[in-house]
Amino acid sequence: MCEQIYGGELGWFFDQWIFQPGHPKLKLDWTYSEKDKDLIVSLHQVQGTGTVFTFPLDLAILFGNGNKPDIKTIQMEGEKQNFR
């Protein structure tokens, strides 16, 4: 029933969230080039369980202009990933 509603296979979801121990723990680092106006966010899963989780993650990017944060949804799919 869940797979019919989702529209695809969900074995990966249950394997990582139900049948495997632990939960994602992330180390985040970032760099910003003022010259290029380029932000690079580096994420590393460090939970130490051997499981690499796949999940969407919302990042709130705050700018110094006082506006509301810019929310970006990224898809974590590996142990280490960089997002620009």
Side-chain angles (χ1 to χ4, degrees):
M1 174 89 157
C2 292
E3 290 181 340
Q4 289 175 331
I5 293 170
Y6 174 69
E9 195 271 327
L10 287 171
W12 62 271
F13 175 84
F14 291 105
D15 284 344
Q16 74 178 13
W17 294 104
I18 304 296
F19 301 119
Q20 298 294 321
H23 60 277
K25 293 181 183 177
L26 297 174
K27 177 183 174 193
L28 181 141
D29 200 6
W30 61 274
T31 58
Y32 179 72
S33 168
E34 181 69 38
K35 177 185 164 206
D36 299 327
K37 304 293 186 213
D38 194 27
L39 174 66
I40 298 173
V41 176
S42 300
L43 293 168
H44 181 195
Q45 293 191 48
V46 295
Q47 55 271 9
T49 61
T51 300
V52 175
F53 290 88
T54 299
F55 56 96
L57 178 67
D58 289 342
L59 294 177
I61 302 167
L62 301 171
F63 297 97
N65 58 12
N67 290 340
K68 291 183 179 179
D70 188 8
I71 307 294
K72 299 289 184 189
T73 301
I74 59 173
Q75 186 67 27
M76 265 317 275
E77 295 177 338
E79 183 179 352
K80 295 180 183 180
Q81 284 183 259
N82 291 329
F83 300 93
R84 176 170 265 132

